């Protein structure tokens, strides 16, 4: 048993003072406000652990490197494919460990890794066909955070079924049955959930979608959806409908399904997505000039919003949360679309639930002991109302992180990884 004492903590959407939090075997067994100081101190404001619901770990190597020629899509894609083509299980483990370490420093206690770098660079499977996925699982363990491995179907390069070519060949399993044979060897474990994904309607043939949805029913299942207008136009030209409608016809939309991005939607699409999760990635969507998704309309239709750092232009869930509100302000020229409580729920409880961790994301008895302390005396947060912390703090203000009752970050430093050095070394190796 461990006892933590939070000077301030968010509970049931309200801030309580002097909260004693007890944990046993990684679960919270007591939460009592207005108590004397006792146990391990957590100063500042204590929040539940963040969930990064959409990650491509290898994209972290692109940060700050794709803005030549003023940062076109092609400068980004060229380097992305270069990195994707160079990784092997060992170098991916090193890179992902550093990236997940950076996530831990940002208060992220669980990550949804949208994984499609399955095979060798020429498409030849490794001796262990899940060597790359297992490297990601091992990296999350090394960094001290939970992972939901969203093992991804990626079979074609376009909506009309063009074959994979070049580095894309390492993404593919031949067909849905080939993907399932490999996928079926993956198993849940302590701190590990196995989920599934369709990369997008351009990478997943219609024939087989229904069987995929049935095979994966009940698991966390994610899909890139309507990220760019060109995807919608191609789907309309080939199938006569939107990507949302195409997937709906295959029975894809289920309670544990997450639509990622969902940027360019019709009113009918928004209604269809109202029963599940939608993951917004504001910092990536703005970095790639993809657009601003209809977050408020989706929430109004009943969708549970979650947040992801996707390409890791930054890894900062405060920025993703406030970006959800601030981007809506730019699009509508109005303020007040989301409350701070709604944004926190998206970054914590709903994000965790979308990844299969429904017992996380809240400081309450019976929940996982994920605690994130945020400084209230930095140059960004000093003088700020703690209730508005999502609109003031950054990842740099996270001082302490507890994951399943285990301290992972103390005093703003990862307890086992020199994260800046690990990032520098791993990225230098991949790009050299």
């Amino acid at each position: 048993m461990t006892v933590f004492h939070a000077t301030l903590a968010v509970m049931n959407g309200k801030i309580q003072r002097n909260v004693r939090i007890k944990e046993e075997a990684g679960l919270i067994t007591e939460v009592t406000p207005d108590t004397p100081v006792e146990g391990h101190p957590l100063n500042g404001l204590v929040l539940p652990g963040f969930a990064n619901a959409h990650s491509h770990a290898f994209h972290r190597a692109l940060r700050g490197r794709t803005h030549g020629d003023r940062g076109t899509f092609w400068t980004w894609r060229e380097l992305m494919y270069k990195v994707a083509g160079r990784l092997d299980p060992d170098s991916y483990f090193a890179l992902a460990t550093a990236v997940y370490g950076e996530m831990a420093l940002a208060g992220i206690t669980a990550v949804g890794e949208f994984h499609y770098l399955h095979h060798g660079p020429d498409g030849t499977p490794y001796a262990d066909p899940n060597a790359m996925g297992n490297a990601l699982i091992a990296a999350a363990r090394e960094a001290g955070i939970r992972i939901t491995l969203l093992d991804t179907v990626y079979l074609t390069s376009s909506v009309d079924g063009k074959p994979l070519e070049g580095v894309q060949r390492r993404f593919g399993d031949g067909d849905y049955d080939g993907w399932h044979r490999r996928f079926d060897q993956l198993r849940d474990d302590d701190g590990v959930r196995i989920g599934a994904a369709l990369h997008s309607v351009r990478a997943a043939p219609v024939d087989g979608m229904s069987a995929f949805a049935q095979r994966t029913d009940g698991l966390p299942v994610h899909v890139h959806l309507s990220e760019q207008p060109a995807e919608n136009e191609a789907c309309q030209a080939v199938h006569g409908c939107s990507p949302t409608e195409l997937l709906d016809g295959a029975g894809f939309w289920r309670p544990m399904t997450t639509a990622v991005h969902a940027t360019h939607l019709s009113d009918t699409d928004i209604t269809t997505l109202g029963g599940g999760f939608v993951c917004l990635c504001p910092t990536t969507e703005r970095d790639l000039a993809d657009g601003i998704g209809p977050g408020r309309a989706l929430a109004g239709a009943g969708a549970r919003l979650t947040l992801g750092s996707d390409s890791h232009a930054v890894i900062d869930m405060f920025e993703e949360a406030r970006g959800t509100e601030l981007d809506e302000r730019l699009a509508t020229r109005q303020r007040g679309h989301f409350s701070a409580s709604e944004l926190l729920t998206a970054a914590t409880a709903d994000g965790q639930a979308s990844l299969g961790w429904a017992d996380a994301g809240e400081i309450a008895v019976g929940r996982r002991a994920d605690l994130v302390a945020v400084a209230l005396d930095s140059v960004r947060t000093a003088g700020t109302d703690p209730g508005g912390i999502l609109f003031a703090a950054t990842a740099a203000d996270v001082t302490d992180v507890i994951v399943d009752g285990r301290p992972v970050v103390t005093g703003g430093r990862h307890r086992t990884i020199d994260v800046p050095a690990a990032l520098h070394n791993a990225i230098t190796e991949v790009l050299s």
Side-chain angles (χ1 to χ4, degrees), residues 60 94-95 97-106 143 315 408-409 412-427:
R60 174 60 179 84
L95 177 58
T97 297
V99 175
Y100 296 156
E102 183 180 359
M103 290 186 193
L105 290 173
I315 295 177
V408 175
V409 174
R413 292 184 177 273
H414 198 286
R415 291 170 67 95
T416 61
I417 302 170
D418 181 344
V419 175
L423 285 165
H424 173 79
N425 293 339
I427 292 170

Side-chain angles (χ1 to χ4, degrees), residues 326-365:
L326 298 182
D327 287 355
E328 286 267 4
R329 294 182 185 183
L330 287 174
T332 64
R333 290 178 290 174
Q334 294 180 342
R335 303 180 84 219
H337 300 275
F338 294 95
S339 68
S341 180
E342 287 177 302
L343 295 174
L344 183 61
T345 297
T348 58
D350 283 351
Q352 298 278 1
S354 76
L355 299 177
W357 307 104
D359 57 350
E362 185 179 0
I363 301 175
V365 172

Side-chain angles (χ1 to χ4, degrees), residues 116-127:
Y116 53 84
L117 271 66
H118 300 309
H119 306 299
D122 64 353
T124 301
Y126 293 103

Side-chain angles (χ1 to χ4, degrees), residues 37-207:
V37 176
E38 173 190 1
H40 181 84
L42 295 173
N43 298 317
L45 177 65
V46 177
L47 305 174
F50 293 130
N52 188 349
H54 188 66
S55 163
H56 300 293
F58 75 97
H59 286 192
R60 174 60 179 84
L62 310 181
R63 184 186 295 176
R65 296 177 179 272
T66 66
H67 301 278
D69 191 26
R70 296 189 296 179
T72 69
F73 172 77
W74 301 108
T75 60
W76 178 86
R77 182 177 177 177
E78 180 180 359
L79 185 57
M80 187 272 285
Y81 277 149
K82 177 180 178 180
V83 173
R86 290 189 172 185
L87 289 165
D88 59 28
D90 290 339
S91 60
Y92 207 10
F93 168 76
L95 177 58
T97 297
V99 175
Y100 296 156
E102 183 180 359
M103 290 186 193
L105 290 173
I108 292 163
T109 60
V111 60
E113 184 62 37
F114 199 102
H115 167 58
Y116 53 84
L117 271 66
H118 300 309
H119 306 299
D122 64 353
T124 301
Y126 293 103
D128 170 6
N130 286 303
M132 295 291 272
N134 286 329
L136 291 165
I137 291 170
R141 284 179 170 150
E142 187 76 9
I145 68 174
R146 295 188 300 276
I147 186 171
T148 299
L149 187 71
L150 298 160
D151 195 273
T152 303
V153 171
Y154 199 130
L155 301 175
T156 57
S157 65
S158 63
V159 175
D160 59 359
K162 288 185 174 64
L164 303 178
E165 58 183 20
V167 71
Q168 292 176 332
R169 290 179 294 175
R170 77 180 308 178
F171 308 160
D173 291 294
D175 54 27
Y176 281 99
D177 287 339
W179 170 83
H180 193 266
R181 284 191 296 271
R182 184 181 52 73
F183 173 81
D184 199 42
Q185 298 177 44
L186 295 165
R187 295 287 183 273
D188 288 355
D189 203 345
D190 183 33
V192 179
R193 292 280 186 273
I194 302 301
L198 296 181
H199 179 273
S200 58
V201 296
R202 67 182 182 275
V206 174
D207 291 342

Side-chain angles (χ1 to χ4, degrees), residues 227-285:
E227 186 174 358
Q228 298 173 335
E231 177 185 321
N232 289 357
E233 293 162 5
C235 191
Q236 189 71 40
V238 174
H239 300 293
C241 62
S242 72
T244 300
E245 293 168 329
L246 183 68
L247 290 162
D248 190 38
F252 185 80
W253 302 117
R254 301 182 182 222
M256 281 300 293
T257 305
T258 296
V260 181
H261 301 302
T263 306
H264 303 281
L265 304 176
S266 69
D267 290 344
T268 299
D269 293 339
I270 291 171
T271 299
T272 298
L273 296 175
F277 296 97
V278 175
C279 182
L280 304 179
C281 306
T283 63
T284 290
E285 288 149 9

